[in-house]
């Protein structure tokens, strides 16, 4: 596939090759990232990128939909099956617009939405100050308990009764523990609010039955498709039949034009992959790996928000180490360990230079790494923290990481960093 690119645009070809080498030659611990399969990659790069398909299967605004209708229907049916949902809309371009469409389906401009505050692990689009969601809606927020790092459902209920939001949002971007979606559903019902659940991070775990599903307890469930679900970059909405029409209308024509059919095609492929025993085993290993990594990090004296993890994600509070999050993530990056700096509950520092570090195990688990390798990764992170200004140690860890990566190639499209590979993505 890339041979034409190499010929016609060697500059971009070379940059893609470099990015592929970076991805295979580093430990990618950003919890929202993963490696898709060759099949998903093929679908993403297919001729479906050429097609406009405004509307929905059977009701389009352009001709030539003989195949697109079938593909989108397959994607919808697969989504309904794996998530046990009445209705699925696979058109949102991303999680952000999926969330906006969920709110716009259930609330009007100026209504109150209530989500978890950014520094507690909520997402920007859950009503955070910098997001358009806080300008369209009146945004209120709950927090985690700053001592435990955990959601306090009684407090959330009290706040909901006081503020009477139109929508309560559950589901987070940096929360390492299980979420009681049923309780959120009850709180919302009690005050006559809608419940929107954003499971972008944990959707793969939900499909695998490792986390309670919000589908029975939420009016609309929103997710991205590229995190633990391991599909292409995209978004999706799931809901009960009663909201199906308004959700569809809000996505198109409400917020979007033509759906990205190549992405929808790849989502269909990823959903078939997720509907397998292998995927369930993969998801189980993600959680086992995260738990092991968390244990080892704590043995090295790292403070973890909430004292550990139940899912794929670990949030390290670096304050006891005296290392700012950004300094740590940059040092790790120099050692080929890719993470992201993150706020921690009660963080008074700026989100651009906060006191935490967020890591996770979906991508390294895709490479086949298991508990033993988590021990090594914890040792690497510890070594960097202890030698944050020592470039010789960082360089030594860099070499060890490269060795580990070479032992766990990225399935199906591994290339050695620095080596010339002619067609890394072609079969
Ligand atoms: N940017 C994603 C994450 O890293 O969690 C959320 O949208």
């Amino acid at each position: 596939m890339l041979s034409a690119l190499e010929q016609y645009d060697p500059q971009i070809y070379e940059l893609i090759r470099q990015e592929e080498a970076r991805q295979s030659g580093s430990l990618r611990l950003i919890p929202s990232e993963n490696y898709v399969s060759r099949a998903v990659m093929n679908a993403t790069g297919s001729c479906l990128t050429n097609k406009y398909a405004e509307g929905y299967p059977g009701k389009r605004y352009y001709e030539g939909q003989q195949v697109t209708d079938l593909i989108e229907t397959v994607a919808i049916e697969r989504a309904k099956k794996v998530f046990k949902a009445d209705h699925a809309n696979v058109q949102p371009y991303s999680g952000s617009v999926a969330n906006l469409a969920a709110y716009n389906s259930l609330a009007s401009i100026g209504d109150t939405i209530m989500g978890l505050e950014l520094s507690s692990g909520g997402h920007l689009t859950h009503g955070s100050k910098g997001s358009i969601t806080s300008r369209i809606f009146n945004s209120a927020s709950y927090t985690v308990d700053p001592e435990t790092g955990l959601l306090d459902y009684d407090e959330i209920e009290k706040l909901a009764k006081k503020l009477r939001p139109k929508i309560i949002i559950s589901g987070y971007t940096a929360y390492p523990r299980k979420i009681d979606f049923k309780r959120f559903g009850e709180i919302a019902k009690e005050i006559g609010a809608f419940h929107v659940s954003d499971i972008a991070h944990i959707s793969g775990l939900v499909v695998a039955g490792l986390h309670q599903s919000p589908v029975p307890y939420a009016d609309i469930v929103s997710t991205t498709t590229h995190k633990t679900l391991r599909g292409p970059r995209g978004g999706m909405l799931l809901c009960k039949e009663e909201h199906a029409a308004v959700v569809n209308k809000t996505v198109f024509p409400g917020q979007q034009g033509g759906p990205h059919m190549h992405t929808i095609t790849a989502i269909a492929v990823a959903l078939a992959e997720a509907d397998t025993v292998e995927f369930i085993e993969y998801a189980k290993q993600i959680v086992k790996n995260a738990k092991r990594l968390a244990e080892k990090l704590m043995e090295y004296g790292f403070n973890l928000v909430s004292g550990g993890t139940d899912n794929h994600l670990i949030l390290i509070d670096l304050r006891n180490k005296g290392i700012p999050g950004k300094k740590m993530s940059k040092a790790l990056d120099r050692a080929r360990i890719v993470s992201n700096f993150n706020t921690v509950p009660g963080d008074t520092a700026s989100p651009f230079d906060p006191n935490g570090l967020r890591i996770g195990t979906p991508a390294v688990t895709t490479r086949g790494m298991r508990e033993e390798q988590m021990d090594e990764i914890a040792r690497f992170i510890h070594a960097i923290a202890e030698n944050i200004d020592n470039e010789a140690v960082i360089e030594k860890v860099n070499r060890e990481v490269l060795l580990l990566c070479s032992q766990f190639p990225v399935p199906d499209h591994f290339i050695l960093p620095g080596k010339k590979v002619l067609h890394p993505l072609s079969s």
Side-chain angles (χ1 to χ4, degrees):
M1 233 182 258
L2 286 188
S3 57
L5 188 55
E6 185 180 19
Q7 195 177 341
Y8 290 108
D9 196 337
Q11 186 183 12
I12 289 296
Y13 173 84
E14 174 56 19
L15 291 174
I16 292 175
R17 198 195 65 79
Q18 283 177 24
E19 173 61 10
E20 196 164 37
R22 188 196 68 78
Q23 290 188 14
S24 63
S26 59
L27 289 170
R28 298 173 59 230
L29 296 181
I30 294 175
S32 43
E33 292 187 357
N34 214 326
Y35 299 94
V36 298
S37 70
R38 174 85 61 107
V40 168
M41 196 76 90
N42 284 350
T44 308
S46 72
C47 65
L48 270 301
T49 198
N50 297 333
K51 187 68 194 118
Y52 255 120
E54 268 108 332
Y56 290 98
K59 191 174 177 232
R60 305 278 191 189
Y61 291 81
Y62 296 137
E63 299 310 326
Q65 311 293 348
Q66 293 84 350
V67 179
T68 44
D69 274 7
L70 296 176
I71 289 176
E72 188 168 348
T73 302
V74 170
I76 290 168
E77 291 307 316
R78 289 180 182 174
K80 282 162 61 178
K81 179 169 180 242
V82 299
F83 287 102
K84 300 182 178 65
D86 292 348
H87 177 73
N89 185 307
V90 294
Q91 294 196 1
Y93 301 142
S94 71
S96 298
V97 288
N99 283 346
L100 190 58
Y103 312 150
N104 280 332
S105 295
L106 302 171
S108 305
I109 293 172
D111 282 345
T112 300
I113 60 170
M114 185 175 116
L116 184 65
E117 196 181 62
L118 193 68
S119 71
S120 281
H123 191 251
L124 271 172
T125 58
H126 296 177
S128 177
K129 207 167 73 188
S131 157
I132 188 86
T133 53
S134 72
R135 301 205 343 242
I136 298 176
F137 302 103
N138 174 41
S139 161
S141 52
Y142 53 95
T143 59
V144 293
D145 179 322
E147 292 302 312
T148 62
L150 298 173
L151 294 167
D152 181 334
Y153 294 93
D154 294 335
E155 284 300 318
I156 294 168
E157 184 177 16
K158 260 194 238 162
L159 194 65
K161 281 181 172 162
K162 187 171 145 209
L163 301 178
R164 317 282 311 176
K166 188 80 182 273
I167 294 176
I168 299 180
I169 305 157
S170 66
Y172 314 107
T173 200
Y175 186 68
R177 294 297 185 176
K178 288 198 167 141
I179 305 161
D180 188 346
F181 293 122
K182 183 164 182 278
R183 181 77 194 271
F184 269 104
E186 287 162 1
I187 295 171
K189 202 163 181 187
E190 206 181 346
I191 61 158
F194 291 112
H195 174 203
V196 169
S197 188
D198 176 354
I199 57 167
H201 266 262
I202 58 168
S203 54
L205 308 184
V206 168
V207 165
L210 303 176
H211 193 290
Q212 186 190 74
S213 169
V215 169
Y217 311 115
D219 292 281
I220 300 180
V221 175
S222 157
T223 185
T224 52
T225 48
H226 49 271
K227 299 185 173 91
T228 49
L229 194 57
R230 211 164 55 177
R233 300 193 76 89
M236 194 191 293
L237 291 168
L238 308 156
C239 67
K240 299 188 180 24
E241 198 51 51
E242 64 187 282
H243 299 307
V246 69
V247 162
N248 279 0
K249 209 169 140 196
T250 306
V251 173
F252 174 85
Q255 289 185 191
Q256 296 188 174
H260 294 174
M261 284 311 305
H262 57 307
T263 300
I264 291 173
T265 309
I267 288 173
V269 176
L271 290 169
E273 291 177 350
D275 195 14
T276 58
V277 175
E278 288 77 9
F279 187 84
I280 294 175
E281 288 309 312
Y282 161 65
K284 281 184 183 160
Q285 193 61 45
I286 291 178
V287 178
K288 279 189 207 163
N289 282 351
K291 282 182 183 292
R292 179 65 162 260
L293 184 53
E295 268 167 35
K296 289 288 159 188
L297 287 169
M298 286 190 290
E299 281 174 26
Y300 285 121
F302 285 97
N303 270 346
L304 304 191
V305 172
S306 85
T309 182
D310 296 327
N311 56 26
H312 64 300
L313 177 155
I314 295 166
L315 194 53
I316 306 175
D317 185 337
L318 288 165
R319 284 178 284 200
N320 69 326
K321 298 276 182 190
I323 308 170
K326 197 194 274 189
K327 185 168 183 179
M328 182 70 181
S329 65
K330 290 207 173 297
L332 287 169
D333 198 43
R334 291 199 296 284
R336 297 177 178 266
I337 299 173
V338 188
S339 63
N340 69 272
F341 55 83
N342 213 94
T343 49
V344 287
D347 210 335
T348 47
S350 136
F352 200 58
D353 195 10
N355 283 303
L357 189 80
R358 192 183 67 148
I359 57 175
T361 53
V364 289
T365 306
T366 292
R367 297 179 78 142
M369 294 188 192
R370 301 174 81 86
E371 287 88 333
E372 203 184 319
Q373 288 71 47
M374 298 306 115
D375 296 353
E376 281 193 74
I377 293 174
R379 182 171 61 77
F380 296 152
I381 295 173
H382 171 63
I384 299 291
E386 293 297 298
N387 298 279
I388 193 77
D389 293 313
N390 186 336
E391 289 304 319
V393 173
I394 293 172
E395 179 55 31
K396 184 170 172 290
V397 175
N398 176 312
R399 287 194 299 273
E400 286 190 77
V401 170
L402 190 55
L403 183 64
L404 179 62
C405 288
S406 70
Q407 289 158 355
F408 290 87
V410 176
D412 229 2
H413 52 83
F414 175 64
I415 55 168
L416 277 174
K419 288 266 160 59
K420 175 91 176 156
V421 172
L422 287 181
H423 311 306
L425 293 182
S426 66
S427 50

